Amino acid sequence: MSSFYTPYVEPASYDSSTTFPFEGCNIETASQEAIMSLAGRSPILHRLGAITVLRVSQKLALKCGTGVLPSEAEAMRFATANTSIRMPKVHRSFNVPELSYFGTMGYIVMDYIEGVCLASCWDNLDLRKRQDVVEQVSGIIRELQSLSVVARPKGCGLRITVQDPLLTDRKSRIGSITNLPYAKRLEMRGEIYLLSTSQPLFLHTKTSLQGT
């Protein structure tokens, strides 16, 4: 049994020969109850904490859990319509009341994308390939930051404000962390990578982080 805070994957979810429970079904006409029932019958692509991603058919995946909020599906639709960022198409999304921290259980049915999970291959990538991934991630962040939102989609915020102990006056063994130029760096799996551009991803003060 995996720990609540340990990622869990079932190999059958990546095997195209697996018989998936929603194969041949119509996602447009399926009831919410039918979609919800897939949670206990589909192999797990990824589970961590209160969020689980399942493969429900050859072409569809279901993300569900008490940490899946309406804003996530709305943000995906908004980014698809307004950017060149490639992401799974959202086919269905809904939330139902649940006794949990957010008071809801969320479900998002989206395209299943064939490929190798970055977490499973990162350690085997050479430095050039890792740097390429970092640059792609920074490019995605910059494109999101370039959006001009007239009517903000439901629950979707483009401004990030956090209370982060790394950006406060608290001292550490390496001195004042606020003096480190995090804005021009990106952390991937515990490693810090310098970005090729001189334009910082974020402008930050001691207690807040705001997208440029």
Side-chain angles (χ1 to χ4, degrees), residues 166-179:
L166 290 179
L167 301 177
T168 66
D169 280 331
R170 191 176 65 176
K171 304 295 182 178
S172 73
R173 289 176 295 176
I174 60 174
S176 177
I177 301 179
T178 55
N179 293 328

Side-chain angles (χ1 to χ4, degrees), residues 18-37:
T18 298
T19 300
F20 299 103
F22 202 66
E23 201 63 58
C25 300
N26 188 335
I27 186 57
E28 301 300 329
T29 59
S31 67
Q32 290 189 0
E33 290 74 16
I35 294 174
M36 293 166 61
S37 72

